[in-house]
Amino acid sequence: MADIAGPLAGWRPTREDILRARDRARVLAARRRRRNLFVLALLVGPGILVMLGENDGPSMLSYAVTGATYGIGFFIPFIVLTFVLAFCVQEMTVRLAAATHRGHAQLILDRFGPFWGYFALADLMVGNLLTLITEFIAIRAGAAYFGVPGWLAVGTGVMVVLAALSLRRYMAWERSVMLVALANLLFIPVAVMAHPDWGRVGHALLTWQPLPGGPREAVLTLVLANIGATVTPWMLFFQQSATADKGLTRADVTQGRIDTALGAVLAAAAGVACVVASSLLHDHHAAPSGATGGADFATALRPFVGSTGAALFALAMVEAGLVAAVTIATSSAYALGEVSRRGRSLNLDFRQGALFYATAFVSVVVAAAVVLIPHAPLIAITITVNVIATMLMAPALLLLLFLVNDREIVGQLANTPLQNVINGTIVVAIAVVGAVYGIVTVFPGLLRL
Amino acid sequence: MRRNEGRDVEVDVSVLEPEQRSERASLPLPRRRLGPWALAALWILRLYALAAVGIVVYFFVRALGQP
């Protein structure tokens, strides 16, 4: 790259700088012309991706089990509530990124020292690897509905993730992954095909009734699991890093908030649609016994929603795992790049971003390989994912709260007293509930005391 | 971008805020000075984190042993 003259003398812009500057130039030009919708269209992305990524394979399977077990009722508004909470938490990462232009891992390391920096990194990397394994399990299970062999489904999943990363351009990566992520909304036409009683859905949304029946322990555990997993560590790291990589500034915080809210609305709609569609199985007493994957639910739903509806359901399950695999692998790459102070941008080429791309590549390939290993302990991994995500969420959330109150780095974008009351309550509630869920999962006898 | 690289660079990169430049964003920020309450909270959090890691490892090992 050439040296440049003028006020920027002495600075040698990298490919990352130039590509980011091009994106910023388009935003600034659109803003000058007061094309507000176009500005928004240019700036949305990380929020939509993080929320639709949170609707991952295991989450959608959990929604399907919830619908098939409890039907339409309490869990419909409950899902909406969890995304409202997720919005409140994730919005803080937008402000942090816009104010500091740094990722979450880097801020933790710089401001709180090596213990928290490396702990957060290790927690994220291990949790992400285990979660990636569950995403490939979901991809394999969803693809099984179409008769696709496991090795082919997992291999195709790996190729899609690697293809997205090989674009070496943030905006191209973001737009292509968003396109795939919107397939999460395929649950909505399936719900429509199920011809539910929309009056019951509306009644449930407004009244939280009927309350779930069955064993109280199971219901309580499900509620704790859902609140505890409202936000997972990768979501914090991913959205902050992606927002910084995209180049949002203090002037773009409103659009960043709209992006996050839009993502929450879309993800909540997909989650509710999944519950509504699978509630047919509850109403017809046709819940698949011992269901372990999307294909089981798609097969069970076929008599009620037809072969097209069932195929869409299975396809959406595959998409859920695929998009989460991309975003989770990218969050690992961002975090390791930030802590090691090597390249950490999707605008890097392979040489400059060798560690960045290698992290994502290796984590995806290892996760896919584990899924294909005969007799691999996949059940142990799947149940450990929830425990690690919920129990180790407390440090991540509380450090987030410390950072967003750090006026030296965020200035005017720091939490106001009201935001501290609201976000502080939410953060503490999620952290405590997550810890309680983790402990009662590890020591189930405690719930019976 | 390859031809007239320097001129394109000047036009493009001037829109970046100084802190957005990759070399500046990589620089470490100073360590935060914490008050006694924040320090105490972080120490409690540190103990919790270490205990939580132990519980997670125990759970995983136990889950591995189950059929």
Side-chain angles (χ1 to χ4, degrees):
Chain A
M1 299 293 170
D3 284 326
I4 52 181
L8 305 174
W11 173 37
R12 291 174 65 83
T14 60
R15 170 193 161 93
E16 177 189 347
D17 293 318
I18 293 166
L19 293 176
R20 185 172 299 129
R22 282 186 178 179
D23 296 339
R24 291 303 303 162
R26 292 179 72 195
V27 172
L28 295 176
R31 186 165 278 147
R32 271 196 302 276
R33 292 179 199 134
R34 298 183 184 282
R35 296 171 65 188
N36 294 336
L37 271 180
F38 188 53
V39 171
L40 181 63
L42 289 171
L43 291 175
V44 297
I48 291 176
L49 284 180
V50 81
M51 292 296 185
L52 291 179
E54 168 63 355
N55 268 0
D56 63 351
S59 294
M60 299 318 291
L61 187 61
S62 167
Y63 291 147
V65 172
T66 301
T69 309
Y70 301 107
I72 292 170
F74 171 84
F75 283 104
I76 301 269
F78 180 74
I79 289 170
V80 176
L81 174 68
T82 60
F83 280 102
V84 172
L85 301 181
F87 166 80
C88 293
V89 175
Q90 293 297 131
E91 182 270 341
M92 291 190 273
T93 67
V94 176
R95 280 185 276 140
L96 278 173
T100 67
H101 305 298
R102 286 164 164 85
H104 202 58
Q106 189 178 348
L107 283 189
I108 291 174
L109 177 67
D110 288 351
R111 299 299 276 170
F112 299 107
F115 174 84
W116 286 115
Y118 294 116
F119 176 83
L121 179 69
D123 173 21
L124 183 78
M125 299 293 282
V126 173
N128 278 3
L129 183 63
L130 296 181
T131 311
L132 274 172
I133 292 170
T134 65
E135 305 305 344
F136 280 107
I137 294 172
I139 291 169
R140 183 176 66 174
Y145 177 80
F146 302 102
V148 178
W151 64 268
L152 184 58
V154 171
T156 306
V158 171
M159 295 311 292
V160 170
V161 177
L162 299 186
L165 288 167
S166 70
L167 294 168
R168 294 164 297 139
R169 178 84 169 85
Y170 176 85
M171 278 301 271
W173 174 89
E174 179 195 272
R175 299 294 141 150
S176 54
V177 180
M178 271 171 71
L179 202 63
V180 180
L182 289 177
N184 200 241
L185 302 178
L186 286 176
F187 286 106
I188 295 175
V190 182
V192 173
M193 288 176 192
H195 302 294
D197 180 349
W198 291 109
R200 272 175 65 204
V201 177
H203 179 262
L205 266 171
L206 293 174
T207 64
W208 295 65
Q209 300 284 338
L211 293 172
R216 282 193 177 185
E217 273 176 36
V219 175
L220 186 60
T221 307
L222 188 57
V223 170
L224 291 176
N226 276 293
I227 294 176
T230 298
V231 181
T232 44
W234 76 263
M235 293 173 70
L236 306 180
F237 289 82
F238 172 80
Q239 189 169 4
Q240 188 173 331
S241 298
T243 304
D245 198 8
K246 189 176 171 73
L248 265 68
T249 66
R250 289 170 188 266
D252 308 316
V253 167
T254 301
Q255 285 80 8
R257 284 177 174 140
I258 294 172
D259 173 35
T260 311
L262 197 56
V265 169
L266 293 176
V272 167
C274 183
V275 172
V276 168
S278 55
S279 70
L280 271 179
L281 303 175
H282 172 264
D283 296 346
H284 291 88
H285 307 289
S289 58
T292 55
D296 299 317
F297 279 95
T299 305
L301 280 169
R302 192 163 46 199
F304 309 109
V305 297
S307 54
T308 306
L312 288 177
F313 192 92
L315 198 61
M317 282 287 184
V318 173
E319 173 280 336
L322 205 53
V323 169
V326 178
T327 50
I328 290 169
T330 310
S331 82
S332 292
Y334 274 134
L336 192 60
E338 289 164 13
V339 168
S340 64
R341 302 200 191 281
R342 308 275 283 275
R344 71 276 185 271
S345 168
L346 285 158
N347 282 327
L348 293 168
D349 61 27
F350 290 136
R351 191 175 55 81
Q352 292 169 323
L355 179 69
F356 177 83
Y357 290 111
T359 306
F361 176 83
V362 170
S363 55
V364 164
V365 170
V366 168
V370 168
V371 174
L372 294 178
I373 294 172
H375 311 299
L378 299 183
I379 293 174
I381 289 170
T382 305
I383 57 176
T384 304
V385 164
N386 282 340
V387 174
I388 198 169
T390 50
M391 284 210 72
L392 292 173
M393 202 54 217
L397 285 171
L398 294 176
L399 290 175
L400 171 69
L401 208 54
F402 274 124
L403 284 171
V404 85
N405 277 293
D406 189 345
R407 289 189 179 273
E408 282 179 32
I409 57 170
V410 290
Q412 296 294 314
L413 290 180
N415 267 359
T416 61
L418 180 64
Q419 281 175 318
N420 265 333
V421 170
I422 297 170
N423 292 343
T425 306
I426 291 170
V427 158
V428 171
I430 293 174
V432 170
V433 170
V436 169
Y437 168 74
I439 289 169
V440 298
T441 304
V442 178
F443 308 105
L446 291 175
L447 209 57
R448 295 185 208 107
L449 291 177
Chain B
M1 198 165 86
R2 296 198 185 286
R3 297 183 67 183
N4 302 322
E5 192 174 66
R7 198 176 65 195
D8 281 355
V9 163
E10 187 163 20
V11 171
D12 280 339
V13 296
S14 61
V15 300
L16 289 182
E17 293 182 358
E19 287 297 317
Q20 271 186 302
R21 300 174 197 166
S22 56
E23 62 175 23
R24 289 277 287 273
S26 301
L27 295 176
L29 294 169
R31 185 88 173 257
R32 184 177 176 182
R33 287 187 301 278
L34 295 162
W37 286 107
L39 273 177
L42 281 182
W43 269 105
I44 293 170
L45 204 57
R46 197 179 282 218
L47 294 175
Y48 169 81
L50 294 175
V53 168
I55 291 174
V56 169
V57 171
Y58 161 75
F59 181 70
F60 183 62
V61 171
R62 198 181 69 183
L64 281 178
Q66 287 174 353

